[in-house]
Amino acid sequence: MTHSSNGERVLVTGGTGYLAGWVIAGLLQRGYRVRTTVRSLGKAEQVRTAVSGRAGAEVAAVMEFAVTDLLSDEGWDKAAEGAHYMIHTASPMPFDSGVDLIKTAREGTGRVLGAAARAGVKRAVLTSSGITAGAGDSNTPATETTYAEPSGTPLHAYPDSKILAERDAWELAEATGLELSAVLPTFMQGPPLGARNGAGTTDVIRRLLAREIPAVPNIGWNVVDVRDVAELHILAMTNPAAAGQRYLASGSFLWYRDIARILRDKLPDEATKVPMRTMPDIIVKLLARVNPQMAMVRSQIGRKRLVDSSKARTLGWQPRPTEQTIIDTATALLAKDSPSK
């Protein structure tokens, strides 16, 4: 990167998150001062320890922490005070117990970006989602020029939360003059930092390794490495061309069975239990009646979504091979589950 940090401060929201850890580590490695938000100061050392292994204990030691909550006004202006940039990664995840996904995402985005505007940050970067980029038929790749519409159904509350929160973000930016960029990652995989066991998305690989499912559903994802997504956030923060732009972050499309095959081929000793059989579609549909996770993917059975990430490459973004991401994720999860860890 040609951009010099000059010791500038970046506020990163959601410091305990899967993506946020890699964003923070990348910023610290580049000489930025980082302040991150946590819901409790008891989480501060967890974050510091996680990023120190990547960025070094010395720089992690001077990280700053701000206690905030997406559903409360308290603390956001103080958190944003003195920040030159803001990266907003914090957002509720599917199956968070008792959380109103849409309310939390929309109100949180308003609070965070409102504080950024009042603090006069140079630029804010929003972590949106690949699902916010609409597409036409199955042969047309999704691009940043199209916007998905919310479904308005409880089953799709998470996609709707991302769609509506990004829409709110652009409206707020226009109303306040806040310089905004958005990164739209697809299905993130990659090693988690520190002692954490990973994100909900990496549970796909964990369950395969543990043979918690007897067969793989006929579904797939556009896989992208969390480390590459973090890199794209920093590029979107610093590149002048990124102002007011959206960037899809996606790698190759992999069927569930492709992930299983990669594990079996590349980790033959550790992945001997990984199932290779495909689960009949009718079984998935029946399970969807009682299993919320299956219910969310029911509409994706047999569907391959195309995503065009060429725009992100104009910033110099170079994602790593998807197969390597799968292996690195599995290796990290196996290491964390090892009795010696």
Side-chain angles (χ1 to χ4, degrees):
M1 290 176 60
T2 58
H3 180 87
S4 175
S5 71
N6 294 320
E8 293 172 312
R9 177 181 287 111
V10 184
L11 175 64
V12 180
T13 67
T16 59
Y18 177 47
L19 171 61
W22 284 104
V23 171
I24 292 168
L27 291 168
L28 290 173
Q29 288 176 312
R30 288 164 173 81
Y32 289 96
R33 292 182 291 165
V34 175
R35 179 184 296 151
T36 189
T37 64
V38 289
R39 295 184 66 182
S40 165
L41 280 181
K43 299 288 187 180
E45 283 310 308
Q46 171 189 326
V47 177
R48 199 187 306 276
T49 300
V51 301
S52 64
R54 180 73 177 182
E58 186 175 348
V59 292
V62 296
M63 284 177 58
E64 303 171 13
F65 294 88
V67 177
T68 57
D69 190 301
L70 293 176
L71 291 175
S72 172
D73 292 333
E74 186 176 354
W76 284 109
D77 283 332
K78 185 177 180 180
E81 185 178 355
H84 299 85
Y85 300 97
M86 175 184 286
I87 297 180
H88 178 37
T89 71
S91 186
M93 296 299 293
F95 312 113
D96 283 351
S97 179
V99 174
D100 185 325
L101 298 177
I102 294 175
K103 174 182 172 69
T104 305
R106 297 188 73 177
E107 290 191 9
T109 296
R111 288 186 173 92
V112 171
L113 297 186
R118 292 188 294 273
V121 303
K122 294 181 180 181
R123 183 179 298 170
V125 180
L126 171 72
T127 306
S128 185
S129 170
I131 56 180
T132 70
D137 58 67
S138 59
N139 295 316
T140 304
T143 69
E144 297 86 351
T145 61
T146 54
Y147 291 78
E149 290 295 326
S151 69
T153 62
L155 186 61
H156 296 96
Y158 177 70
D160 286 359
S161 75
K162 303 300 288 187
I163 292 167
L164 293 168
E166 190 192 337
R167 181 183 296 177
D168 292 348
W170 289 114
E171 291 176 354
L172 186 150
E174 183 177 2
T176 62
L178 174 68
E179 192 170 282
L180 179 68
S181 300
V183 175
L184 286 56
T186 51
F187 194 64
M188 285 193 295
Q189 297 294 309
L193 281 177
R196 67 188 70 178
N197 291 323
T201 51
T202 62
D203 201 50
V204 166
I205 293 177
R206 185 198 63 78
R207 295 185 72 196
L208 282 173
L209 293 169
R211 199 178 176 88
E212 292 183 2
I213 54 174
V216 292
N218 185 30
I219 58 173
W221 304 271
N222 297 93
V223 175
V224 65
D225 197 294
V226 65
R227 296 166 291 186
D228 296 330
V229 176
E231 176 70 16
L232 184 54
H233 277 72
I234 299 173
L235 290 170
M237 183 186 86
T238 57
N239 194 309
Q245 300 297 315
R246 312 167 80 206
Y247 293 95
L248 273 161
S250 179
S252 303
F253 181 92
L254 294 178
W255 294 104
Y256 214 143
R257 59 182 174 270
D258 293 331
I259 297 175
R261 177 189 52 77
I262 291 169
L263 295 174
R264 289 287 291 265
D265 289 350
K266 301 299 181 180
L267 296 172
D269 294 334
E270 299 89 345
T272 55
K273 296 181 180 180
V274 169
M276 295 295 293
R277 293 186 300 122
T278 299
M279 185 179 296
D281 293 348
I282 186 62
I283 299 299
V284 178
K285 293 175 181 179
L286 289 173
L287 289 173
R289 298 179 181 179
V290 295
N291 185 307
Q293 291 179 318
M294 286 294 189
M296 281 190 67
V297 302
R298 184 184 187 279
S299 63
Q300 302 303 312
I301 295 174
R303 293 183 60 184
K304 180 177 181 178
R305 186 173 188 241
L306 302 178
V307 178
D308 182 355
S309 286
S310 59
K311 183 178 178 181
R313 294 176 185 270
T314 66
L315 299 181
W317 188 61
Q318 297 180 333
R320 69 201 70 205
T322 306
E323 182 174 286
Q324 187 61 53
T325 295
I326 298 302
I327 298 306
D328 289 352
T329 306
T331 301
L333 294 176
L334 288 165
K336 292 178 190 303
D337 289 339
S338 171
S340 61
K341 297 296 179 181

